[in-house]
């Protein structure tokens, strides 16, 4: 049995991480209905980018959460956490490798973000529980996923202009949008994480990516997560 632990005093829910892949898939299936796919956002004052890397041949997980002001996106605070990796690399279960370190980094912030921009998928996932959805459900924070590539689903390539998009489909369900954030540059894959609808997620991604392919909060977190000298 996979144990579920209710929210702690800080509002963060917890579950075991020392699971088998089969248990992890079962847990994803049980968590997926908890995702809120509509806008339940308060005022946006601080947004955060979340990115994860690995050290020591994958034995150490390195997570960075970078908080920026909104909408001007001035860097405000960065938190880095290194924790032992507790879950093997299994496609479709990456959140079980990454989130323990992300939760540690979030706990080190002095400012609680109003929205998480996650480098990865939200519900654009075989069990609708990518890292952005998993992290959003556990923390209760609004979250969205921005993937650099497709994990699942089918799509037609959108137009070449910034803002052009096409639906990412799984059977008859829209699970995300293939969104062009820069004219003539490869699109990204945007999906709901938690407490943000797809239309709002795409609008916010475009607002957060005025010059580059990736939203600025994710770009900053990615740069810091890639620096092993920190």
């Amino acid at each position: 049995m996979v144990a579920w632990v209710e929210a702690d005093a800080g509002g963060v829910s917890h579950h075991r991480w020392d699971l088998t892949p089969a248990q992890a898939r079962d847990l994803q299936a049980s968590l997926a209905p908890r995702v809120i796919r509509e806008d339940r956002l308060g005022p946006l004052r601080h947004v955060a980018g979340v990115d994860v890397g690995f050290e020591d041949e994958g034995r150490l997980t390195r997570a960075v959460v970078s908080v920026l002001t909104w909408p001007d996106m001035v860097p405000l605070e960065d938190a880095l956490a290194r924790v032992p990796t507790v879950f093997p690399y299994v496609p479709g279960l990456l959140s079980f490798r990454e989130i323990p370190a992300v939760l540690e980094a979030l706990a080190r912030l002095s400012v609680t973000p109003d929205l998480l921009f996650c480098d990865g998928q939200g519900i654009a996932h075989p069990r609708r529980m990518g890292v952005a959805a998993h992290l959003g459900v556990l923390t209760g924070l609004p979250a969205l996923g921005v993937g650099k590539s497709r994990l699942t689903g089918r799509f037609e390539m959108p137009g070449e202009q910034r803002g052009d998009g096409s639906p990412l489909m799984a059977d008859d369900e829209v699970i995300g949008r293939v969104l062009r954030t820069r004219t003539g540059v490869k699109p990204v894959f945007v999906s709901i994480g938690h407490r943000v609808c797809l239309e709002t997620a795409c609008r916010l991604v475009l607002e957060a990516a005025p010059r580059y392919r990736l939203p600025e909060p994710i770009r900053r977190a990615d740069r810091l997560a890639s620096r092993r000298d920190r």
Side-chain angles (χ1 to χ4, degrees), residues 165-187:
S166 62
L168 180 64
M169 306 293 299
D171 297 324
D172 295 327
E173 180 185 3
V174 177
I175 59 173
R177 183 171 299 166
V178 187
L179 182 65
R180 194 83 65 175
T181 53
R182 288 194 68 196
T183 297
V185 174
K186 288 199 306 184

Side-chain angles (χ1 to χ4, degrees), residues 41 44 59 62 98 101 104 124 133 160 177 179 211 214-215:
L41 287 161
L44 292 185
R59 287 185 284 268
R62 182 182 61 255
E98 297 180 354
E104 179 64 30
E160 290 291 322
R177 183 171 299 166
L179 182 65
R211 292 179 296 171
L214 292 177

Side-chain angles (χ1 to χ4, degrees), residues 69-143:
T69 60
W70 186 267
D72 48 354
M73 290 186 290
V74 175
L76 183 65
E77 183 179 10
D78 303 306
L80 180 144
R82 288 182 171 94
V83 303
T85 305
V86 297
F87 197 87
Y89 174 80
V90 180
L93 299 177
L94 299 186
S95 63
F96 289 86
R97 283 172 65 83
E98 297 180 354
I99 286 181
V102 175
L103 292 176
E104 179 64 30
L106 281 168
R108 297 180 182 183
L109 293 174
S110 62
V111 175
T112 300
D114 301 309
L115 174 68
L116 303 176
F117 285 80
C118 299
D119 183 1
Q121 311 296 337
I123 66 167
H125 179 277
R127 288 168 294 281
R128 310 297 180 262
M129 190 47 52
V131 63
H134 198 159
L135 186 60
V137 167
L138 289 184
T139 62
L141 295 174

Side-chain angles (χ1 to χ4, degrees), residues 117-222:
F117 285 80
C118 299
D119 183 1
Q121 311 296 337
I123 66 167
H125 179 277
R127 288 168 294 281
R128 310 297 180 262
M129 190 47 52
V131 63
H134 198 159
L135 186 60
V137 167
L138 289 184
T139 62
L141 295 174
L144 57 86
V146 183
K148 301 182 189 74
S149 60
R150 179 187 67 89
L151 176 62
T152 191
R154 67 184 191 282
F155 67 95
E156 295 183 0
M157 189 62 70
E160 290 291 322
Q161 299 301 307
R162 170 179 161 84
D164 287 345
S166 62
L168 180 64
M169 306 293 299
D171 297 324
D172 295 327
E173 180 185 3
V174 177
I175 59 173
R177 183 171 299 166
V178 187
L179 182 65
R180 194 83 65 175
T181 53
R182 288 194 68 196
T183 297
V185 174
K186 288 199 306 184
V188 295
F189 294 78
V190 180
S191 57
I192 293 168
H194 189 53
R195 296 176 55 188
V196 184
C197 77
L198 184 58
E199 290 297 327
T200 298
C202 291
R203 173 177 61 80
L204 293 171
V205 167
L206 286 171
E207 290 179 11
R211 292 179 296 171
Y212 300 100
R213 180 187 180 218
L214 292 177
E216 192 57 33
I218 291 178
R219 290 186 69 249
R220 180 173 178 82
D222 176 74

Side-chain angles (χ1 to χ4, degrees), residues 30-95:
S30 70
L31 291 179
R34 296 174 181 254
V35 173
I36 296 172
R37 302 189 182 196
E38 62 186 27
D39 285 345
R40 295 194 188 173
L41 287 161
L44 292 185
R45 295 160 298 183
H46 307 111
V47 301
V50 177
D51 193 76
V52 176
F54 294 90
E55 300 177 9
D56 193 20
E57 298 182 340
R59 287 185 284 268
L60 195 66
T61 307
R62 182 182 61 255
V64 171
V65 179
S66 295
V67 180
L68 291 75
T69 60
W70 186 267
D72 48 354
M73 290 186 290
V74 175
L76 183 65
E77 183 179 10
D78 303 306
L80 180 144
R82 288 182 171 94
V83 303
T85 305
V86 297
F87 197 87
Y89 174 80
V90 180
L93 299 177
L94 299 186
S95 63

